[in-house]
Amino acid sequence: MDTNLIWIFVSALLINNFTLTYFLGLCPFLGVSSRLETAFRLGLANIFVMLITAICSYALNTWVLPFAPYLRLISFIIVIASSVQFVEIALKKFSPELFKALGIFLPLITTNCAILGLALFSTNKGYGFVEGIVYALGAGGGVTLALVLLAGIREETRLTNVPKLIEGTAFNLIVAGIISMAFMGFAGLFSA
Amino acid sequence: MLKNILSISTSPYLKDKDTTPWLMFQVVYSLIPVVFVAFYYFGISALITTVMAVFSCLFAEWLFDPTGNRGWSIKNGSALITGMLLALTLPPGFPLWMTFIGGFVAIGMGKAIWGGLGQNIFNPALLGRAFLQAAFPTAITTWSSPNGDLLAFRGTNLALPFFQGESIDVVSGATPLSKMKFDRETTDLSDLLFGNTSGSLGETCGVLLILIAIYFMVRKIINWRIPLSMVISVTVFSGIAYLINPEVYPSPVFMILSGGFLLGAVYMATDLVTSPLTPKGVWIYGIGIGILIVLIRNWGGLPEGVMYAILLMNSATPLINRYTKIRTYGH
């Protein structure tokens, strides 16, 4: 049981990294990675939203979807987005510090494909409540890791002579591809 | 007249004789014996692979020259090193057209798009090899054994462009690492030291690489902390695994002498451009590479992890630099 949880975590963090292996959530990955600090905060917000997603999708999957399987996609999207909004309002009231750190990013990523992907993957794989939480932590951590790595590189390359031809998104995509190539080394980790 | 008497310049005033081309050519000279050992074990295919990789790297460097004055940046010798290193990480029977693509990607994607020498984050040679590993996974893991035949081609050296080619070798040999991984079979220490095993062109001869490492450290061409921290961390972490279960996990000595560890520790991890700047950062970098190597080799799906370990730590180098800044005096 315990090794299984560790495997789920490492698998979501490194082997099947949401950003670098599944290529989910690329818009915030490319859009908010120009500065390290904002990238890190976006990553934290991602972990936060993914935890809420894990809870919501588990609840939906256990109590609602058996009766109405055709509502799967739409209920995931609506329930996740609205519960994140609720949490955001609560956060603003009870913890202004945390709201300041994560606030602006929360609405940005609630409707992200990585979030929906997490809900769909974890229900497809039949994860229970604890496994779903661990999976969300690993996936969020993986997204944060990818964001921080790319932001670090992008800050460094601000001072270099990247050719005008590929500056901007093209360059960032190539860099993301290179990091993703390096992550291929984790393929098959702990599977033997 | 005045010009000759008065020389006006900004600091630094005390300069070393080391220039970029001088340093690069020191590395090139040190690679020549490695290429010769590769020739001794793998025959003409070692030489022809090296020539092809160097040619494609120089061609890409010429094509993507950032100065607009083509041929200028070839002279600093860095593309030459990239080509030789790339060739030394390839299996002997690797098709030449794939080698060409690897060299082109190494310079194009590894260096040109970053703005040229000194500005890249990833080691170009390893980037080229990682690209080849992703694009041609079968060809790059087909190894031919050293058989003493100097003038014969190996494997699929002569495959036509865009074809896999027929293998010339009758038998293909597994590397010590894949023997260990899949059959739990160790290789003789003397074979590992002197290079009489199958593997990539330049990685088999341990003794030579250790001698080069010592020479480089004495001449201060590479940062001695990087190989040392890598050796220490691989020894410690693989040693722990070995003590727990010697049946399954290889010993630290085997870990260090087999595969691309020595080649990577001497030439790739110590790349001046892509390794961290401060001593503390360099220790973190080397130890991180060691941990990743042990992780991938012992528990990963691939038998060899040196290339990925170094690339992963390269991607973390900007972060390491950022958090290990040396405090300036008085701050």
Side-chain angles (χ1 to χ4, degrees), chain A residues 4-19 21-22 24 46-47 49-55 57 113-143:
Chain A
N4 189 32
L5 285 184
I6 294 170
W7 190 82
I8 289 174
F9 181 78
V10 174
S11 154
L13 184 75
L14 301 174
I15 310 163
N16 296 320
N17 187 301
F18 267 50
T19 314
T21 314
Y22 289 149
L24 290 173
N46 237 312
I47 298 179
V49 174
M50 279 179 166
L51 281 176
I52 297 176
T53 307
I55 297 166
S57 64
C113 50
I115 306 296
L116 183 63
L118 180 91
L120 291 177
F121 287 150
S122 66
T123 51
N124 274 357
K125 288 175 181 165
Y127 286 160
F129 185 72
V130 180
E131 288 162 324
I133 296 276
V134 171
Y135 187 58
L137 278 176
V143 171

Side-chain angles (χ1 to χ4, degrees), chain B residues 42-119:
Chain B
F42 299 109
I44 193 91
S45 62
L47 287 186
I48 201 159
T49 304
T50 310
V51 168
M52 182 51 115
V54 166
F55 165 74
S56 73
C57 282
L58 291 179
F59 173 69
E61 183 79 31
W62 174 82
L63 192 70
F64 295 128
D65 197 320
T67 58
N69 175 16
R70 289 230 164 95
W72 177 82
S73 70
I74 285 182
K75 293 197 187 93
N76 65 29
S78 66
L80 186 60
I81 294 180
T82 302
M84 291 172 91
L85 285 180
L86 174 69
L88 291 175
T89 61
L90 294 174
F94 200 60
L96 289 173
W97 67 272
M98 294 181 188
T99 309
F100 180 85
I101 292 178
F104 198 81
V105 168
I107 292 295
M109 212 156 93
K111 211 161 73 175
I113 68 158
W114 302 87
L117 180 65
Q119 315 193 37

Side-chain angles (χ1 to χ4, degrees), chain A residues 86-125:
Chain A
F86 275 128
V87 173
E88 196 193 343
I89 295 166
L91 214 60
K92 202 173 183 177
K93 183 78 182 164
F94 295 115
S95 171
E97 284 296 302
L98 193 62
F99 178 76
K100 239 184 225 167
L102 307 180
I104 38 168
F105 298 118
L106 289 179
L108 189 76
I109 48 174
T110 41
T111 49
N112 196 276
C113 50
I115 306 296
L116 183 63
L118 180 91
L120 291 177
F121 287 150
S122 66
T123 51
N124 274 357
K125 288 175 181 165

Side-chain angles (χ1 to χ4, degrees), chain A residues 36 148-149 152-153 155-157 159-163 166 171 174-175 178-179 181-191, chain B residues 109 112-115 119 121-122 127 130-131 133-134 292 295-296 299-302 308 311-312 315-316 318-319 321-323:
Chain A
L36 190 60
V148 166
L149 286 178
I153 293 174
E155 285 210 354
E156 187 101 344
T157 54
L159 302 172
T160 62
N161 311 324
V162 173
I166 57 159
F171 179 73
I174 294 176
V175 175
I178 296 173
I179 304 177
M181 221 150 66
F183 265 71
M184 283 176 68
F186 289 122
L189 205 62
F190 298 121
S191 61
Chain B
M109 212 156 93
I113 68 158
W114 302 87
Q119 315 193 37
I121 300 283
F122 296 93
L127 186 69
F131 180 84
Q133 175 110 40
L292 287 169
L295 185 74
I296 295 175
W299 295 285
L302 302 163
Y308 289 118
L311 283 175
L312 286 166
S315 74
L319 297 175
N321 278 338
R322 205 182 157 99
Y323 291 110

